Amino acid sequence: MIREFSLNDLVFMLEALRWTVGLAIIATIGGGALGIIVAVLRVVAFKPANWLAIGYINLVQGTPLLGQLFVFFFGLPLFGIQVDAWVAASLSLSIYASAFFGEIWRGSLQSVSQRQWEAGAALGLNYWQRLTHVVLPQALRISIAPTVGFLVQLVKNTSLAALIGFIELTRASQIITAATFAPLPVYTTAAALYFIICFSLSQFSQRLERRFHVTR
Amino acid sequence: MSLVELTDIHKSFGSVEVLKGISMTMEQGEIVAIIGRSGSGKSTLLRCINGLESVQSGRIQVAGIEATKPGADLNALRQRAGMVFQSYNLFPHLSVERNVMLALRLVQKMSVDEARELAHAMVAKVGLAEKLAAYPDELSGGQQQRVAIARSLAMQPTLMLFDEITSALDPELVGEVLKVLEGVAREGMTMMLVTHEMNFAKNVADRVIFMHEGRIHEDGPARETLLEPRTEELRSFLSAVLH
Ligand SMILES: Nc1ncnc2c1ncn2[C@@H]1O[C@H](COP(=O)(O)OP(=O)(O)OP(=O)(O)O)[C@@H](O)[C@H]1O
Ligand SMILES: [Mg+2]
């Protein structure tokens, strides 16, 4: 039974888009929280912490996201830990994001000039005050563009969740294509939807950069 | 007890000894200009005095705080010894007003109103009252350096350290910063300043210290030392900077 690409299909795709966006948001929050820890472990003056963070980053960045997804979805049940697709996808995307966020934020932190630390010190600010009031606000500003750049990747990478049963945007498109044999309009629509999300993200990033005032 | 007491300071970076036994004292109210060739250790000396660099040996006492004692409260020391850098180092994410207020709020625990009032007074003192809301990147180098001076003065330090604060400025902006410095000097602030402005040193400083290869090579009253150098090294240094 071949049918036309219809409004119903579009609705189906928009519903699937909710999972795409939902997963991306969860991974951003989870990965963000973990990423802060990774970045801090990476820069503190305590070598074992640095090694731990570097090992973690290499492990996560050096293995495919799909593999990580399978480890959580198929691997954990082998140890008697039952996980549903949501938990597996959220966990693996968060961990994946945390390694990248960690590196992006470490880079941003370290790109704030040593002189800014010194200027804070010379005014009698303690280490924590220098970090939170002088260095972090500047690092945050520097990190906006690369962070949002990675978010765009993350949105696209949520499509891997299809492989453990999520009917997110890419999977929905496949299903509709199978029914309509009209790949061109279906995938054009999907691409447009991805584009709208990613374009809005980069617009948002530019607005944010302007809001944070200084852009050097 | 003198305000600043340095006793046989030795400082190395790796295997290179940069300060080779510096001893000196400085009294409340004194204005000391430090001169010397590039690499003679002037900046390093200033940075050791407020604890930005640690020393290998020797004793540093500043405003009653022993900087070289293990566990010394360097943050307390730095409140008493303000420092202004060659590269201004204003906080780029904060307005002029907030730059000055930050340490008042965090370190001196002033209320917002108190801190703001003091910040306004200090910024007005360096002639930039109309720039309170501006961000550092909207100011000229000279203006930024004046804000940096105001920011440091607002902490009401006992002593101010200035490290070549006009060296990064375009020549036409040097004058406005030196004028602010003269004002600070007139109010009786104790100052130690590294400078290449020999006229300023001669006219404003009480005392000149000439550093050469990590040692204090000459130390004396400003005019006398600059006009009648005792050593060949200072003579050749002066003729190099004056011509
Ligand atoms: N952080 C550092 N690491 C290694 N070497 C350093 C460091 N800071 C300074 N030095 C070296 O110490 C020596 C003295 O430097 P310092 O900055 O005190 O000189 P200076 O008299 O202030 O010179 P200038 O007039 O160029 O500012 C120089 O040889 C310099 O290369
Ligand atoms: Mg120097």
Side-chain angles (χ1 to χ4, degrees):
Chain A
M1 269 276 294
I2 299 175
R3 53 181 178 80
E4 293 281 293
F5 179 53
S6 68
L7 193 63
N8 281 341
D9 293 320
L10 185 62
V11 171
F12 182 55
M13 286 176 81
L14 287 175
E15 280 173 3
L17 187 64
R18 288 185 317 192
W19 301 128
T20 299
V21 173
L23 277 176
I25 289 174
I26 288 174
T28 303
I29 295 169
L34 267 176
I36 291 172
I37 299 173
V38 174
V40 169
L41 290 180
R42 186 74 175 70
V43 296
V44 289
F46 181 59
K47 283 275 186 289
N50 305 155
W51 294 328
L52 184 72
I54 292 171
Y56 176 82
I57 290 163
N58 283 333
L59 183 70
V60 176
Q61 294 192 346
T63 53
L65 174 58
L66 186 58
Q68 295 162 28
L69 204 58
F70 282 178
V71 165
F72 282 100
F73 191 63
F74 298 117
L76 288 185
L78 297 181
F79 298 94
I81 307 167
Q82 288 307 318
V83 286
D84 67 7
W86 261 113
V87 175
S90 305
L91 271 177
S92 55
L93 281 169
S94 294
I95 287 172
Y96 171 75
S98 69
F100 285 89
F101 282 145
E103 272 300 85
I104 289 170
W105 295 341
R106 173 194 66 86
S108 309
L109 258 179
Q110 291 183 336
S111 69
V112 176
S113 153
Q114 194 58 36
R115 289 173 177 166
Q116 288 290 314
W117 286 97
E118 285 189 347
L123 288 166
L125 269 58
N126 63 32
Y127 180 85
W128 183 246
Q129 293 168 330
R130 278 174 249 162
L131 181 69
T132 54
H133 287 84
V134 176
V135 176
L136 277 182
Q138 296 183 55
L140 193 70
R141 205 182 63 223
I142 295 166
S143 73
I144 292 172
T147 300
V148 175
F150 175 74
L151 279 184
V152 168
Q153 300 298 318
L154 193 61
V155 168
K156 292 189 274 186
N157 275 332
T158 53
S159 63
L160 287 176
L163 290 155
I164 58 169
F166 267 94
I167 304 182
E168 45 62 68
L169 185 54
T170 300
R171 183 79 190 111
S173 310
Q174 286 168 351
I175 293 171
I176 299 168
T177 305
T180 59
F181 284 102
L184 196 64
V186 175
Y187 284 115
T188 308
T189 309
L193 289 174
Y194 277 118
F195 177 78
I196 289 169
I197 294 180
C198 297
F199 183 72
S200 326
L201 275 174
S202 60
Q203 286 300 303
F204 172 67
S205 140
Q206 282 169 25
R207 264 236 304 284
L208 214 57
E209 280 191 315
R210 278 195 297 271
R211 257 265 307 276
F212 273 82
H213 200 264
V214 239
T215 40
R216 286 141 316 165
Chain B
M1 193 166 69
S2 302
L3 184 63
V4 177
E5 291 175 356
L6 308 183
T7 318
D8 200 23
I9 301 296
H10 288 262
K11 168 71 187 173
S12 308
F13 291 109
S15 60
V16 185
E17 190 169 39
V18 175
L19 299 181
K20 301 171 182 164
I22 302 274
S23 298
M24 64 163 290
T25 59
M26 192 176 161
E27 304 303 325
Q28 182 95 42
E30 252 190 315
I31 298 177
V32 178
I34 299 182
I35 61 173
R37 283 182 208 287
S38 178
S40 57
K42 308 180 297 292
S43 298
T44 307
L45 177 62
L46 246 59
R47 295 166 58 83
C48 288
I49 290 177
N50 80 344
L52 284 179
E53 302 283 357
S54 57
V55 297
Q56 269 70 37
S57 69
R59 192 177 143 266
I60 300 174
Q61 181 274 121
V62 180
I65 297 178
E66 292 267 349
T68 35
K69 261 209 188 119
D73 187 351
L74 293 180
N75 294 325
L77 184 153
R78 289 168 186 150
Q79 288 179 63
R80 298 183 200 177
M83 178 147 181
V84 181
F85 302 87
Q86 181 174 342
S87 48
Y88 343 130
N89 301 352
L90 292 182
F91 304 131
H93 60 298
L94 299 176
S95 65
V96 166
E97 180 186 54
R98 300 252 156 208
N99 257 279
V100 180
M101 284 172 68
L102 185 69
L104 298 178
R105 296 272 296 130
L106 293 177
V107 181
Q108 303 201 341
K109 311 287 181 210
M110 283 186 189
S111 71
V112 177
D113 290 340
E114 254 182 310
R116 182 173 293 131
E117 194 177 320
L118 182 53
H120 286 203
M122 287 300 164
V123 173
K125 195 180 209 156
V126 299
L128 291 171
E130 79 284 10
K131 296 289 186 191
L132 276 166
Y135 281 79
D137 66 343
E138 297 162 348
L139 302 178
S140 73
Q143 291 171 331
Q144 290 189 53
Q145 194 58 292
R146 283 148 67 192
V147 174
I149 294 171
R151 181 174 71 174
S152 220
L153 284 177
M155 299 295 287
Q156 292 163 317
T158 321
L159 159 76
M160 286 285 291
L161 307 168
F162 297 95
D163 190 2
E164 291 196 47
I165 64 167
T166 56
S167 295
L169 298 176
D170 292 336
E172 72 270 20
L173 301 178
V174 169
E176 63 185 68
V177 174
L178 291 183
K179 225 171 82 194
V180 167
L181 268 189
E182 281 175 34
V184 176
R186 259 198 310 277
E187 291 184 1
M189 176 61 74
T190 310
M191 319 200 314
M192 183 180 276
L193 39 98
V194 175
T195 183
H196 286 305
E197 304 286 335
M198 292 306 146
N199 275 323
F200 184 83
K202 194 160 63 195
N203 296 325
V204 178
D206 310 312
R207 176 176 159 198
V208 162
I209 287 179
F210 171 57
M211 299 237 344
H212 186 66
E213 295 177 351
R215 293 194 176 83
I216 293 180
H217 206 75
E218 282 200 35
D219 180 350
R223 294 189 79 80
E224 196 181 307
T225 308
L226 291 171
L227 296 174
E228 296 152 28
R230 291 190 301 271
T231 61
E232 185 49 42
E233 286 82 359
L234 178 52
R235 205 167 299 131
S236 79
F237 170 75
L238 288 174
S239 71
V241 291
L242 295 175
H243 300 114

